[in-house]
Amino acid sequence: MTIAGGMYLDGMVAIPMIYPGPIYIGLSERSISAAGIDQIVAEARKDGLLGEKSDFIDNPMPGSITAHIQLVVDGVTHDLTGPLPSDATETPGTPGSSAAFIAFWNRIGTLDTWLSADLGESTPYTPTSIAIMLTPPADSSGGIAPVEKTWPLPGTLATFGSPMGVAGYRCATVSGAELATLLPAVQAANALTVFVDSTNAKMSAKVEVLVPGDAGPCGAAQ
């Protein structure tokens, strides 16, 4: 989630709980009043999240899912990383701890009740860029066969973007005219969609909507 410039962005609440699920999860955005932003910043300071420390994971476990918050305060960007909360506690404990990060995450996840008078209406967020991660083609699962769709962009899947650290995986950030072409295709795709290019090469895809200031996963591409 990102809070900057008087705007709050977070994941859409309504996500179909079916398999195969969509690969594109849209975001929503809401305006926040200056008073509301002041309260969020005050809460972050109280929880010890706006100092030099930015990683609030005390004992990272291999394969664990992390949470990310980006706050822009007085022109300074704070990229905060911590454990993804497993409960709804809002008791921060020691400032600057993982418990403080979790409490803050849960606090700003309930802005509807905490700062309801300071929020505008929720509207779909229109991205200006998305990250596309190409992966080996999906196999049949649970008796459901993959559906093949034509890769909509020029060029081949083998030359798209840059290779990632794992063989057979590629990643690219897409914007502008390419985004306008690709977006309808990924919005209609699911976890079993296989894209096929002009050489008959096949790959599946994962999508991450990027927000201003977010470098995205392709920054690690090699």
Side-chain angles (χ1 to χ4, degrees):
M1 54 184 67
T2 298
I3 300 175
M7 192 67 64
Y8 167 69
L9 294 99
D10 197 5
M12 297 287 281
V13 174
I15 300 175
M17 299 304 291
I18 57 175
Y19 183 82
I23 63 171
Y24 179 93
I25 304 299
L27 302 180
S28 60
E29 62 181 349
R30 303 182 73 170
S31 61
I32 310 177
S33 70
I37 291 178
D38 287 345
Q39 291 188 65
I40 292 171
V41 171
E43 185 73 21
R45 291 193 192 282
K46 184 182 73 173
D47 293 338
L49 304 180
L50 298 183
E52 294 184 1
K53 182 179 179 180
S54 61
D55 187 344
F56 300 92
I57 302 177
D58 295 334
N59 298 298
M61 299 293 291
S64 60
I65 301 175
T66 59
H68 174 245
I69 301 171
Q70 184 180 84
L71 297 173
V72 180
V73 181
D74 296 331
V76 178
T77 299
H78 300 266
D79 287 303
L80 312 177
T81 302
L84 187 68
S86 58
D87 56 44
T89 181
E90 294 183 12
T91 303
T94 304
S97 64
S98 60
F101 177 92
I102 289 172
F104 183 74
W105 175 280
N106 288 334
R107 186 74 161 146
I108 61 178
T110 57
L111 290 183
D112 277 343
T113 53
W114 178 28
L115 301 175
S116 58
D118 295 288
L119 297 178
E121 292 187 9
S122 177
T123 59
Y125 174 68
T126 301
T128 57
S129 61
I130 60 175
I132 302 291
M133 293 151 282
L134 296 181
T135 67
D139 296 322
S140 298
S141 178
I144 306 175
V147 175
E148 296 185 358
K149 297 195 175 201
T150 301
W151 178 243
L153 295 182
T156 66
L157 294 169
T159 59
F160 177 75
S162 302
M164 299 191 76
V166 180
Y169 286 69
R170 303 188 68 83
C171 191
T173 297
V174 179
S175 59
E178 284 193 337
L179 177 60
T181 299
L182 185 60
L183 194 57
V186 298
Q187 287 175 327
N190 60 46
L192 287 181
T193 297
V194 174
F195 290 102
V196 185
D197 68 13
S198 58
T199 69
N200 205 38
K202 301 177 182 181
M203 298 189 82
S204 293
K206 296 181 180 180
V207 179
E208 180 178 328
V209 176
L210 302 180
V211 299
D214 185 358
C218 300
Q222 301 176 354

